[in-house]
Coordinates of all heavy atoms in Angstrom, one line a residue:
L176 N -63.6 -3.4 57.8 CA -62.1 -3.7 58.2 C -61.7 -5.1 57.9 O -60.5 -5.3 57.6 CB -61.9 -3.4 59.7 CG -62.3 -1.9 60.2 CD1 -62.0 -1.8 61.7 CD2 -61.6 -0.9 59.4
S177 N -62.7 -6.0 57.8 CA -62.4 -7.3 57.6 C -63.6 -8.1 57.0 O -64.7 -8.0 57.6 CB -61.9 -8.1 58.9 OG -61.7 -9.4 58.6
V178 N -63.5 -8.6 55.8 CA -64.6 -9.2 55.1 C -65.6 -8.2 54.8 O -65.9 -7.3 55.5 CB -65.2 -10.4 55.9 CG1 -66.2 -11.2 55.1 CG2 -64.1 -11.4 56.4
N179 N -66.3 -8.4 53.6 CA -67.2 -7.4 53.1 C -68.6 -7.8 53.4 O -69.3 -8.4 52.6 CB -67.0 -7.2 51.6 CG -67.8 -6.0 51.1 OD1 -68.4 -5.3 51.8 ND2 -67.8 -5.9 49.8
Y180 N -69.1 -7.4 54.5 CA -70.6 -7.5 54.9 C -71.2 -6.1 55.1 O -70.6 -5.3 55.9 CB -70.7 -8.3 56.2 CG -72.2 -8.2 56.7 CD1 -73.2 -8.8 56.1 CD2 -72.4 -7.4 57.8 CE1 -74.5 -8.7 56.5 CE2 -73.7 -7.3 58.3 CZ -74.8 -7.9 57.7 OH -76.0 -7.8 58.1
E181 N -72.2 -5.8 54.3 CA -72.8 -4.5 54.4 C -74.0 -4.4 55.2 O -75.0 -5.1 54.8 CB -73.0 -4.0 52.9 CG -73.4 -2.5 52.8 CD -73.4 -2.0 51.4 OE1 -72.8 -2.7 50.5 OE2 -74.2 -1.1 51.1
E182 N -74.0 -3.6 56.2 CA -75.2 -3.3 57.0 C -76.1 -2.4 56.3 O -75.7 -1.5 55.5 CB -74.7 -2.6 58.3 CG -75.8 -2.5 59.4 CD -76.3 -3.8 60.0 OE1 -75.5 -4.5 60.6 OE2 -77.5 -4.1 59.8
K183 N -77.4 -2.6 56.5 CA -78.4 -1.7 55.9 C -78.2 -0.3 56.5 O -78.1 -0.1 57.7 CB -79.8 -2.1 56.1 CG -80.2 -3.4 55.3 CD -81.6 -3.8 55.6 CE -82.0 -5.0 54.8 NZ -83.4 -5.4 55.0
I184 N -78.1 0.7 55.6 CA -77.9 2.1 56.1 C -78.8 2.6 57.1 O -78.5 3.3 58.1 CB -77.7 3.0 54.9 CG1 -77.2 4.4 55.4 CG2 -79.1 3.2 54.2 CD1 -76.8 5.4 54.3
E185 N -80.1 2.2 56.9 CA -81.1 2.7 57.9 C -81.0 2.1 59.3 O -81.6 2.7 60.2 CB -82.5 2.3 57.4 CG -82.8 0.9 57.2 CD -82.5 0.4 55.7 OE1 -81.7 1.1 55.0 OE2 -83.2 -0.6 55.3
N186 N -80.1 1.1 59.5 CA -79.9 0.6 60.8 C -78.9 1.4 61.6 O -78.9 1.2 62.8 CB -79.4 -0.9 60.6 CG -80.5 -1.8 60.1 OD1 -81.7 -1.4 60.1 ND2 -80.0 -3.0 59.6
Y187 N -78.0 2.2 60.9 CA -77.0 2.9 61.7 C -77.1 4.4 61.4 O -76.4 5.2 62.1 CB -75.7 2.3 61.5 CG -75.1 2.5 60.0 CD1 -74.6 3.6 59.5 CD2 -75.2 1.4 59.2 CE1 -74.1 3.7 58.2 CE2 -74.8 1.4 57.8 CZ -74.2 2.6 57.4 OH -73.8 2.7 56.1
D188 N -77.8 4.8 60.3 CA -77.8 6.3 60.0 C -78.8 7.0 60.9 O -79.9 7.3 60.5 CB -78.2 6.4 58.5 CG -78.2 7.9 58.0 OD1 -77.4 8.7 58.6 OD2 -78.9 8.1 57.1
K189 N -78.4 7.2 62.1 CA -79.2 7.8 63.1 C -78.9 9.2 63.6 O -79.8 9.8 64.3 CB -79.3 6.8 64.3 CG -79.8 5.4 64.0 CD -81.3 5.5 63.5 CE -81.8 4.1 63.3 NZ -83.2 4.1 62.8
E190 N -77.8 9.7 63.2 CA -77.5 11.2 63.6 C -76.7 11.8 62.6 O -75.9 11.2 61.9 CB -76.9 11.2 65.0 CG -75.5 10.5 65.0 CD -74.8 10.7 66.4 OE1 -74.9 11.9 67.0 OE2 -74.1 9.9 66.9
E191 N -76.9 13.2 62.5 CA -76.2 14.0 61.6 C -76.0 15.4 62.1 O -77.0 16.0 62.7 CB -76.8 14.0 60.3 CG -76.1 14.6 59.1 CD -76.8 14.2 57.7 OE1 -77.3 13.1 57.5 OE2 -76.9 15.1 56.9
Q192 N -74.8 15.9 62.0 CA -74.5 17.3 62.4 C -74.2 18.1 61.2 O -73.4 17.6 60.3 CB -73.4 17.4 63.4 CG -73.7 16.7 64.8 CD -73.2 15.3 64.9 OE1 -72.2 15.0 64.3 NE2 -74.0 14.5 65.5
L193 N -74.7 19.3 61.1 CA -74.3 20.1 60.0 C -73.9 21.5 60.6 O -74.6 22.2 61.2 CB -75.5 20.4 59.0 CG -75.8 19.1 58.2 CD1 -77.1 18.5 58.7 CD2 -76.0 19.4 56.7
M194 N -72.6 21.9 60.3 CA -72.0 23.1 60.8 C -72.0 24.1 59.6 O -71.4 23.8 58.6 CB -70.6 22.8 61.3 CG -70.4 21.6 62.1 SD -71.5 21.6 63.6 CE -70.6 22.8 64.6
I195 N -72.8 25.2 59.8 CA -73.0 26.1 58.7 C -72.3 27.5 59.1 O -72.7 28.1 60.1 CB -74.5 26.4 58.4 CG1 -75.1 25.0 58.0 CG2 -74.7 27.4 57.3 CD1 -76.6 25.1 57.9
Y196 N -71.3 27.9 58.3 CA -70.5 29.1 58.6 C -70.9 30.2 57.7 O -70.9 30.0 56.4 CB -69.0 28.8 58.5 CG -68.5 27.7 59.4 CD1 -68.6 26.3 59.0 CD2 -68.0 28.0 60.7 CE1 -68.1 25.3 59.9 CE2 -67.5 27.0 61.6 CZ -67.6 25.7 61.2 OH -67.2 24.7 62.0
L197 N -71.2 31.4 58.2 CA -71.5 32.5 57.4 C -70.8 33.8 58.0 O -70.6 33.9 59.2 CB -73.0 32.8 57.5 CG -73.9 31.7 57.0 CD1 -75.4 31.9 57.4 CD2 -73.9 31.6 55.5
S198 N -70.4 34.7 57.1 CA -69.7 35.8 57.5 C -70.5 37.1 57.2 O -71.2 37.2 56.2 CB -68.4 36.0 56.7 OG -67.7 37.2 56.9
K199 N -70.5 38.0 58.2 CA -71.3 39.2 58.1 C -70.7 40.1 57.1 O -71.3 41.2 56.6 CB -71.4 40.0 59.4 CG -70.1 40.4 60.0 CD -70.4 41.1 61.4 CE -69.1 41.6 62.1 NZ -69.4 42.2 63.3
G200 N -69.5 39.8 56.6 CA -68.8 40.6 55.5 C -69.3 40.2 54.1 O -68.9 40.8 53.2
H201 N -70.1 39.2 54.0 CA -70.6 38.7 52.7 C -71.6 39.7 52.1 O -72.6 40.1 52.8 CB -71.3 37.4 52.9 CG -71.7 36.8 51.6 ND1 -70.9 35.9 50.9 CD2 -72.8 36.9 50.8 CE1 -71.4 35.5 49.8 NE2 -72.6 36.1 49.7
S202 N -71.4 40.1 50.9 CA -72.2 41.1 50.2 C -73.5 40.4 49.8 O -73.5 39.3 49.2 CB -71.5 41.7 49.0 OG -72.4 42.5 48.2
P203 N -74.6 41.1 50.0 CA -76.0 40.5 49.5 C -76.0 40.4 48.0 O -76.9 39.7 47.5 CB -76.9 41.6 50.1 CG -76.3 42.3 51.1 CD -74.8 42.3 50.7
N204 N -75.1 41.1 47.3 CA -75.1 41.0 45.9 C -74.3 39.8 45.3 O -74.4 39.5 44.1 CB -74.5 42.3 45.3 CG -75.3 43.5 45.7 OD1 -76.5 43.5 45.6 ND2 -74.6 44.6 46.0
D205 N -73.5 39.1 46.2 CA -72.7 38.0 45.8 C -73.4 36.6 46.1 O -73.5 36.4 47.3 CB -71.3 38.1 46.4 CG -70.6 39.3 46.0 OD1 -70.9 39.7 44.8 OD2 -69.7 39.7 46.7
K206 N -73.8 35.9 45.2 CA -74.4 34.6 45.5 C -73.4 33.6 45.9 O -72.2 33.6 45.5 CB -75.1 34.0 44.2 CG -76.4 34.9 43.8 CD -77.1 34.2 42.7 CE -78.4 35.0 42.3 NZ -79.4 34.8 43.4
Y207 N -73.8 32.6 46.8 CA -73.0 31.5 47.2 C -72.9 30.5 46.1 O -73.8 30.3 45.3 CB -73.5 30.9 48.5 CG -73.3 31.7 49.7 CD1 -74.3 32.6 50.2 CD2 -72.1 31.7 50.4 CE1 -74.1 33.4 51.3 CE2 -71.9 32.5 51.5 CZ -72.9 33.3 52.0 OH -72.8 34.0 53.1
E208 N -71.7 29.8 45.9 CA -71.5 28.8 44.9 C -72.5 27.6 45.1 O -73.0 27.1 44.2 CB -70.1 28.4 44.9 CG -69.1 29.4 44.4 CD -67.7 28.9 44.3 OE1 -67.5 27.7 44.5 OE2 -66.8 29.7 44.0
S209 N -72.7 27.2 46.3 CA -73.6 26.1 46.7 C -74.6 26.5 47.7 O -74.3 27.3 48.6 CB -72.7 24.9 47.1 OG -71.8 24.6 46.2
Y210 N -75.8 25.9 47.7 CA -76.8 26.2 48.6 C -77.2 27.7 48.8 O -77.5 28.1 49.9 CB -76.5 25.5 50.0 CG -76.3 24.0 49.9 CD1 -75.1 23.5 49.8 CD2 -77.5 23.2 50.0 CE1 -75.0 22.1 49.7 CE2 -77.4 21.8 49.9 CZ -76.1 21.3 49.8 OH -76.0 19.9 49.7
D211 N -77.1 28.4 47.8 CA -77.3 29.9 47.9 C -78.8 30.1 48.3 O -79.1 31.1 49.0 CB -77.1 30.6 46.5 CG -77.4 32.1 46.6 OD1 -76.6 32.8 47.2 OD2 -78.4 32.4 46.0
E212 N -79.7 29.2 47.9 CA -81.1 29.4 48.2 C -81.5 29.4 49.7 O -82.5 29.9 50.1 CB -82.0 28.3 47.5 CG -81.8 27.0 48.0 CD -80.6 26.2 47.4 OE1 -79.8 26.8 46.8 OE2 -80.6 24.9 47.5
I213 N -80.5 28.9 50.5 CA -80.8 28.9 52.0 C -79.7 29.8 52.7 O -80.0 30.5 53.7 CB -80.8 27.5 52.6 CG1 -81.2 27.6 54.1 CG2 -79.5 26.8 52.4 CD1 -82.5 28.3 54.4
L214 N -78.4 29.7 52.2 CA -77.4 30.5 52.9 C -77.6 32.0 52.8 O -77.4 32.7 53.8 CB -76.1 30.1 52.2 CG -75.5 28.7 52.5 CD1 -74.1 28.6 51.9 CD2 -75.6 28.3 53.9
M215 N -78.1 32.5 51.6 CA -78.2 34.0 51.5 C -79.3 34.5 52.4 O -79.2 35.5 53.1 CB -78.5 34.3 50.0 CG -78.5 35.8 49.8 SD -76.9 36.6 50.1 CE -76.1 36.2 48.5
P216 N -80.5 33.9 52.4 CA -81.6 34.3 53.3 C -81.2 34.3 54.8 O -81.4 35.3 55.5 CB -82.8 33.4 53.1 CG -82.5 32.9 51.6 CD -81.1 32.8 51.5
I217 N -80.6 33.2 55.2 CA -80.1 33.1 56.6 C -79.0 34.1 56.9 O -79.1 34.8 57.9 CB -79.6 31.6 56.9 CG1 -80.8 30.7 57.0 CG2 -79.0 31.6 58.4 CD1 -80.4 29.2 57.3
G218 N -78.0 34.2 56.0 CA -77.0 35.1 56.2 C -77.4 36.6 56.3 O -77.0 37.3 57.2
A219 N -78.4 37.0 55.4 CA -78.9 38.3 55.5 C -79.7 38.6 56.7 O -79.5 39.6 57.4 CB -79.7 38.6 54.2
L220 N -80.5 37.6 57.1 CA -81.3 37.8 58.3 C -80.5 38.0 59.5 O -80.8 38.8 60.4 CB -82.2 36.6 58.4 CG -83.2 36.6 59.6 CD1 -84.3 37.7 59.4 CD2 -84.0 35.2 59.6
L221 N -79.4 37.2 59.7 CA -78.7 37.2 60.9 C -77.5 38.2 60.8 O -76.7 38.3 61.8 CB -78.2 35.8 61.3 CG -79.2 34.8 61.5 CD1 -78.6 33.4 61.8 CD2 -80.2 35.2 62.6
N222 N -77.3 38.9 59.7 CA -76.2 39.9 59.6 C -76.6 41.2 60.3 O -77.5 41.9 59.8 CB -75.9 40.1 58.1 CG -74.7 40.9 57.8 OD1 -74.2 41.7 58.7 ND2 -74.1 40.7 56.7
N223 N -75.9 41.4 61.4 CA -76.2 42.7 62.2 C -75.7 44.0 61.6 O -75.8 45.0 62.2 CB -75.7 42.6 63.6 CG -74.3 42.3 63.8 OD1 -73.5 42.4 62.8 ND2 -73.8 41.9 64.9
T224 N -75.0 43.9 60.4 CA -74.5 45.1 59.7 C -75.5 45.6 58.7 O -75.4 46.6 58.1 CB -73.2 44.8 59.1 OG1 -73.3 44.0 58.0 CG2 -72.2 44.3 60.1
L225 N -76.6 44.8 58.4 CA -77.6 45.1 57.4 C -78.8 45.7 58.1 O -79.2 45.2 59.1 CB -78.0 43.9 56.6 CG -76.9 43.2 55.8 CD1 -77.5 42.0 55.0 CD2 -76.2 44.1 54.8
N226 N -79.4 46.8 57.5 CA -80.6 47.3 58.1 C -81.8 46.6 57.6 O -81.7 45.7 56.8 CB -80.7 48.8 57.8 CG -80.7 49.1 56.3 OD1 -81.2 48.4 55.5 ND2 -80.1 50.3 55.9
Y227 N -83.0 47.0 58.0 CA -84.2 46.3 57.7 C -84.5 46.3 56.2 O -84.8 45.3 55.6 CB -85.4 47.0 58.4 CG -86.8 46.5 57.8 CD1 -87.2 45.2 58.1 CD2 -87.4 47.3 57.0 CE1 -88.4 44.8 57.6 CE2 -88.7 47.0 56.5 CZ -89.2 45.7 56.7 OH -90.3 45.3 56.2
Q228 N -84.3 47.4 55.5 CA -84.5 47.5 54.1 C -83.6 46.5 53.3 O -84.1 45.9 52.4 CB -84.3 49.0 53.6 CG -85.4 49.9 54.0 CD -85.2 50.4 55.4 OE1 -84.2 50.2 56.1 NE2 -86.2 51.1 56.0
E229 N -82.3 46.5 53.7 CA -81.4 45.6 53.0 C -81.8 44.2 53.3 O -81.7 43.3 52.3 CB -80.0 45.9 53.5 CG -79.5 47.2 53.1 CD -78.2 47.6 53.8 OE1 -78.0 47.3 55.0 OE2 -77.3 48.2 53.2
K230 N -82.1 43.8 54.5 CA -82.6 42.4 54.8 C -83.8 42.1 54.0 O -83.9 41.0 53.4 CB -82.8 42.3 56.3 CG -81.6 42.3 57.2 CD -82.1 42.2 58.7 CE -81.0 42.5 59.6 NZ -79.9 41.4 59.7
N231 N -84.8 43.0 54.0 CA -86.0 42.7 53.4 C -85.9 42.5 51.9 O -86.6 41.7 51.2 CB -87.1 43.8 53.7 CG -88.5 43.4 53.4 OD1 -88.9 42.3 53.6 ND2 -89.2 44.4 52.8
E232 N -85.0 43.3 51.3 CA -84.7 43.2 49.8 C -84.2 41.8 49.5 O -84.7 41.2 48.5 CB -83.7 44.3 49.4 CG -83.5 44.3 47.9 CD -82.6 45.4 47.5 OE1 -82.4 46.3 48.3 OE2 -82.1 45.4 46.4
V233 N -83.3 41.3 50.3 CA -82.8 39.9 50.1 C -83.8 38.9 50.2 O -84.1 38.0 49.4 CB -81.6 39.6 51.1 CG1 -81.2 38.2 50.9 CG2 -80.4 40.5 50.7
I234 N -84.5 39.0 51.4 CA -85.6 38.0 51.6 C -86.7 37.9 50.5 O -87.1 36.8 50.1 CB -86.3 38.3 53.0 CG1 -85.3 38.1 54.2 CG2 -87.5 37.3 53.3 CD1 -84.7 36.7 54.3
K235 N -87.1 39.1 50.1 CA -88.1 39.1 49.1 C -87.6 38.6 47.7 O -88.3 38.0 47.0 CB -88.6 40.6 48.9 CG -89.6 41.0 49.9 CD -90.2 42.4 49.5 CE -91.3 42.8 50.5 NZ -92.5 42.0 50.2
G236 N -86.3 38.8 47.5 CA -85.7 38.3 46.3 C -85.6 36.8 46.2 O -85.4 36.2 45.2
Y237 N -85.8 36.2 47.4 CA -85.7 34.7 47.5 C -87.1 34.1 47.7 O -87.2 32.9 48.2 CB -84.7 34.2 48.6 CG -83.3 34.4 48.1 CD1 -82.6 35.6 48.0 CD2 -82.6 33.2 47.6 CE1 -81.4 35.7 47.5 CE2 -81.3 33.3 47.1 CZ -80.7 34.5 47.1 OH -79.4 34.6 46.6
G238 N -88.1 34.9 47.5 CA -89.5 34.3 47.4 C -90.4 34.4 48.6 O -91.4 33.8 48.7
L239 N -89.9 35.2 49.7 CA -90.7 35.3 50.8 C -91.6 36.6 50.7 O -91.0 37.7 50.6 CB -89.9 35.4 52.1 CG -90.7 35.6 53.4 CD1 -91.7 34.5 53.6 CD2 -89.8 35.7 54.6
D240 N -92.9 36.5 50.9 CA -93.8 37.7 50.9 C -94.7 37.4 52.0 O -95.8 36.8 51.8 CB -94.4 37.8 49.6 CG -95.3 39.2 49.6 OD1 -95.1 39.9 50.5 OD2 -96.0 39.3 48.6
D241 N -94.4 37.7 53.3 CA -95.2 37.4 54.4 C -95.2 38.6 55.4 O -94.2 38.9 55.9 CB -94.7 36.1 55.1 CG -95.5 35.7 56.3 OD1 -95.4 36.3 57.3 OD2 -96.4 34.8 56.1
E242 N -96.4 39.2 55.6 CA -96.4 40.4 56.5 C -96.0 40.1 57.9 O -95.3 41.0 58.5 CB -97.8 40.9 56.4 CG -98.3 41.5 55.1 CD -99.7 42.1 55.2 OE1 -100.2 42.1 56.3 OE2 -100.2 42.5 54.1
E243 N -96.3 39.0 58.4 CA -95.9 38.7 59.9 C -94.4 38.5 59.9 O -93.8 39.1 60.9 CB -96.6 37.4 60.3 CG -96.2 37.0 61.7 CD -96.7 35.6 62.1 OE1 -97.2 34.9 61.2 OE2 -96.5 35.3 63.3
F244 N -93.8 37.9 59.0 CA -92.3 37.7 58.9 C -91.7 39.1 58.9 O -90.7 39.4 59.6 CB -91.9 36.8 57.8 CG -90.4 36.4 57.8 CD1 -90.0 35.3 58.4 CD2 -89.5 37.3 57.2 CE1 -88.7 34.9 58.4 CE2 -88.2 37.0 57.2 CZ -87.7 35.8 57.8

Side-chain angles (χ1 to χ4, degrees):
L176 302 182
S177 176
V178 186
N179 188 9
Y180 166 73
E181 187 172 338
E182 186 71 60
K183 290 183 178 180
I184 188 172
E185 59 265 28
N186 293 341
Y187 63 83
D188 183 27
K189 297 299 183 182
E190 65 173 320
E191 191 169 317
Q192 294 92 39
L193 291 107
M194 317 299 288
I195 301 173
Y196 299 87
L197 299 166
S198 171
K199 63 181 180 181
H201 187 95
S202 170
N204 298 319
D205 297 333
K206 291 184 177 294
Y207 287 96
E208 292 184 6
S209 303
Y210 296 99
D211 179 73
E212 68 273 21
I213 184 60
L214 294 186
M215 187 65 82
I217 290 179
L220 182 63
L221 301 180
N222 190 333
N223 58 12
T224 68
L225 300 180
N226 58 35
Y227 166 73
Q228 288 78 14
E229 292 170 322
K230 292 179 189 288
N231 196 39
E232 184 176 343
V233 172
I234 296 298
K235 281 185 173 294
Y237 282 76
L239 175 63
D240 187 11
D241 184 279
E242 291 184 4
E243 181 188 5
F244 188 95

